[in-house]
Amino acid sequence: MTAKENKLLQLLEKVPDERGKQGRRHKLSHVLYLSILATLMGATDYNQIYIWINSHIQSTQIKKLLGVEFIVAPKRSAIAKILADADSTAVEIAFRK
């Protein structure tokens, strides 16, 4: 599957990103998507999500799913802040679709 075929990623890209433009290093849709994958693989807290993302972010399959050739893993604190600040209703709507 490529990023163009990745329906969940496409839906997550519609979630509004309320973060300021300055310092925005990671795409919201990528962090949400990777966090969902990590959770489906058993992660139950921010630290476990971080560990899963950090362990898998450089795999060819993940890069292909995200449609990128290069990606930097977000820090644990960034993951926690992004997930805490994300519009949970919009994320739920995207996930249910």
Side-chain angles (χ1 to χ4, degrees), residues 7-17 28-29 32 90-91 94 97:
K7 207 61 160 154
L8 179 56
L9 182 61
Q10 291 173 7
L11 291 168
L12 290 171
E13 286 173 352
K14 295 177 183 174
V15 173
D17 191 346
L28 176 62
S29 59
L32 294 173
V91 173
K97 285 183 179 180

Side-chain angles (χ1 to χ4, degrees), residues 28-53:
L28 176 62
S29 59
H30 288 178
V31 175
L32 294 173
Y33 185 79
L34 292 169
S35 297
I36 290 169
L37 288 180
T39 303
L40 290 171
M41 297 306 292
T44 57
D45 59 33
Y46 294 135
N47 195 52
Q48 290 177 2
I49 291 170
Y50 165 75
I51 291 168
W52 190 93
I53 290 173

Side-chain angles (χ1 to χ4, degrees), residues 8 14 18 25 43 47 49 54-55 57 60 66 70 91 95:
L8 179 56
K14 295 177 183 174
E18 302 299 331
R25 187 172 189 182
N47 195 52
I49 291 170
N54 202 40
S55 298
I57 193 108
T60 303
L66 297 175
F70 176 78
V91 173
F95 190 73

